[in-house]
Amino acid sequence: MTIQWRYTSDDDLGILSLAGYLDAQDTDRFAGAISWVLAHGAGPVVLDLTALEGWTVAGQSAIVEAARQLAAHGRPLELAAIPADGSLVPDDTCPPLPVHHDLNTAVAAHPAAGAPGARQQWRTAGWPTMP
């Protein structure tokens, strides 16, 4: 299954949500999503994994690479709701990668997020409708 993504951005925070299963065949699509995030937003990025069914070592490595790429542009990456089937173990070259229990906790860590301003959203055509 190919991953789907949705990116929501406001003036102070970006939220990249993934759905599906992140494995080696989807790392290019994920890298494309990260490029989109870099081009369309500012501030920290929360990677919302609530709808992610799981990941492989290649998928985890892609997330670590995304953290490096975002950090090089002054945009820290944080994780929310990591899959229960494993934890991400970055190497020593990875920038700090905070992990939050869920998306609400991650957003609450950024009190300025959600303030009145321009909020935009983009998503892949296959993004699932969720309650």
Side-chain angles (χ1 to χ4, degrees), residues 1 32 82 98 113:
M1 169 192 226
I82 63 171

Side-chain angles (χ1 to χ4, degrees), residues 7-16 33-47 69-78 110 112-115 118-122:
Y7 180 60
T8 305
S9 175
D10 64 27
D11 294 337
D12 299 306
L13 182 67
I15 300 170
L16 177 61
I34 295 299
S35 293
W36 187 269
V37 166
L38 284 168
H40 296 90
V45 177
V46 172
L47 183 58
Q69 186 178 5
L70 288 163
H73 290 88
R75 298 188 68 190
L77 180 66
E78 302 178 16
H110 301 276
R119 176 172 278 208
Q120 296 181 301
Q121 190 174 89
W122 301 268

